[in-house]
Amino acid sequence: MSVRGIRGAITVDVNEEQPILNATVELLNGIVADNQIVPDDICSVFVTVTSDLDETFPARAIRQMQGWELVPLMCALEVPVKGSLERCIRLMVLINTDKSQAEIRHVYLSGAQALRPDLSKA
């Protein structure tokens, strides 16, 4: 069994608590569904946000999901590169799995599809 990283990102339209929490859940649910994983498979989740999202911690949304209470979570600020995508939440989900790297499905939603169009669903 290997530890694999699953990347994902999503943007929100406004810096408000509920849209940030909702987007975080939407992104994580997409990662879970596309990769057929359960919380017990998760090693940890690393969450970053751009500096323009400061109304809440996105990890709060994950912590409230059933079965995710014990999953280690950490939030941080994304590197503030000039001209980078605004109002973006990124996840790095580390999982224990027998899947190969090629079988992992990364998830990019909303405006974050621009980050990795090669990995984004049409």
Side-chain angles (χ1 to χ4, degrees), residues 7 9-10 85 88 90 108 111-118 120:
R7 286 294 319 264
I10 191 169
L85 189 62
C88 187
R90 291 173 173 88
Y108 292 85
Q113 291 178 345
L115 294 172
R116 291 297 305 264
D118 57 316
S120 298

Side-chain angles (χ1 to χ4, degrees), residues 62-99:
I62 299 170
R63 184 75 60 227
Q64 295 171 2
M65 295 171 63
Q66 185 173 358
W68 289 81
E69 302 86 354
L70 301 177
V71 174
L73 307 171
M74 180 163 297
C75 290
L77 282 176
E78 188 66 35
V79 176
V81 176
K82 292 179 184 174
S84 62
L85 189 62
E86 297 178 344
R87 295 183 307 278
C88 187
I89 302 163
R90 291 173 173 88
L91 300 181
M92 171 68 80
V93 180
L94 299 175
I95 65 167
N96 294 306
T97 185
D98 290 322
K99 291 182 181 182

Side-chain angles (χ1 to χ4, degrees), residues 32-86:
V32 166
D34 284 3
N35 291 282
Q36 297 141 2
I37 55 177
V38 296
D40 278 348
D41 296 335
I42 307 296
C43 298
S44 62
V45 179
F46 187 61
V47 183
T48 66
V49 294
T50 49
S51 61
D52 50 6
L53 295 180
D54 60 5
E55 285 298 314
T56 191
F57 294 101
R60 278 187 50 224
I62 299 170
R63 184 75 60 227
Q64 295 171 2
M65 295 171 63
Q66 185 173 358
W68 289 81
E69 302 86 354
L70 301 177
V71 174
L73 307 171
M74 180 163 297
C75 290
L77 282 176
E78 188 66 35
V79 176
V81 176
K82 292 179 184 174
S84 62
L85 189 62
E86 297 178 344

